[in-house]
Amino acid sequence: MNNKSSIGVFDSGIGGLTVLREITRLLPGENTIYLGDTARVPYGSKSKETIERYSFEIAAFLLKHDIKMLVAACNTASAYAVPKLAKELDIPVLGVIEPGARAAVAATKANRIGVIGTEGTIKSSAYTSAIKAIRPEAETFVKACPLFVPLVEEGWAEDEVTALVASRYLAGLKDAGIDTLVLGCTHYPLLKETIASVMGDSVALIDSAASTAMEVKKILEEKGLLNDSGKDASHRFFVTDSPERFMAVGRRFFGERLADAELAALTDN
Ligand code: DGL
């Protein structure tokens, strides 16, 4: 492993491409390897034990590709598995929870922060713990929004159905008078406009993807691991099932740069 090695990024499926997009935007010289666990998506409704096991299998696969850093783009995997991954792996490991929490604390003036995510992320209280570790007096208001993921994958991010679902999910957070809302799921940055129109201009929307990319840069800088070769970066994509669907839906998240996805067999590696 050296500074030309890739950054490994994983997610339960396609959504983590929002995080990869921010990383490649901020660090265009970095090689990346992305793994989407499309055979076992969704993670949001599964138990901690299962998500930990999946995440360790993925880490083992990516380590075989000589990655220099591991990024869990999936909020659910970040909430459930990153603490253990960080303890057990020899390379830096970053999830999206801490960067998102730091950005939320920096943005709030009223110390009233909303968090939305999958059932797993909300149940784990990972964002609340991370926010309170930075600012104990901050109050958090949480809401699981499980229908958002399938709506985005269906391509209905801007549909009236989604607007209706959003106003129903977010009504309680609106009433709570939050001034900051963490978009605690890979898919939610694609719903930014819909969510903003429900919450109004006075609520800052925190996209963990952008703050995570900044933290990736900081960590690589600190460790002397930034790629300074000046060569064009390579981006490899692996999935555990249906590369075609990944390519079709993934373009919504990553644009036309999405290279051909290869099939990964996690257990054989
Ligand atoms: N990637 C997941 C997350 O950010 C959302 C999709 C899923 O439930 O697997 O929590």
Side-chain angles (χ1 to χ4, degrees), residues 135-177:
R135 184 163 307 159
E137 65 275 24
E139 268 191 272
T140 58
F141 302 85
V142 303
K143 178 75 182 165
C145 304
L147 290 176
F148 279 168
V149 168
L151 286 167
V152 169
E153 298 223 347
E154 194 63 24
W156 289 7
E158 267 124 57
D159 195 279
E160 58 191 306
V161 170
T162 308
L164 204 64
V165 171
S167 37
R168 185 128 168 207
Y169 275 147
L170 302 174
L173 295 176
K174 236 187 135 176
D175 290 348

Side-chain angles (χ1 to χ4, degrees), residues 99-259:
R102 262 191 282 279
V105 168
T108 187
K109 294 191 178 73
N111 278 334
R112 296 174 80 78
I113 301 172
V115 180
I116 52 176
T118 65
E119 284 173 291
T121 298
I122 297 306
K123 208 163 121 199
S124 75
S125 302
Y127 273 110
T128 298
S129 310
I131 288 167
K132 285 193 181 286
I134 310 167
R135 184 163 307 159
E137 65 275 24
E139 268 191 272
T140 58
F141 302 85
V142 303
K143 178 75 182 165
C145 304
L147 290 176
F148 279 168
V149 168
L151 286 167
V152 169
E153 298 223 347
E154 194 63 24
W156 289 7
E158 267 124 57
D159 195 279
E160 58 191 306
V161 170
T162 308
L164 204 64
V165 171
S167 37
R168 185 128 168 207
Y169 275 147
L170 302 174
L173 295 176
K174 236 187 135 176
D175 290 348
I178 58 167
D179 69 349
T180 303
L181 178 62
V182 179
L183 308 179
C185 175
T186 45
H187 290 58
Y188 299 178
L190 279 90
L191 295 174
K192 231 177 192 167
E193 276 169 37
T194 306
I195 294 171
S197 66
V198 175
M199 297 308 295
D201 291 343
S202 57
V203 176
L205 301 184
I206 305 298
D207 174 351
S208 310
S211 11
T212 302
M214 285 191 270
E215 213 128 320
V216 170
K217 184 174 181 209
K218 198 170 135 226
I219 292 170
L220 292 180
E221 259 163 10
E222 277 167 13
K223 307 254 176 214
L225 282 172
L226 276 177
N227 188 344
D228 49 12
S229 70
K231 288 203 186 117
D232 279 351
S234 87
H235 304 291
R236 276 184 92 177
F237 298 90
F238 288 95
V239 290
T240 50
D241 195 15
S242 306
E244 320 72 43
R245 182 169 190 275
F246 178 84
M247 300 296 298
V249 183
R251 294 235 156 84
R252 223 171 280 147
F253 291 80
F254 200 69
E256 291 305 314
R257 290 181 306 153
L258 192 60

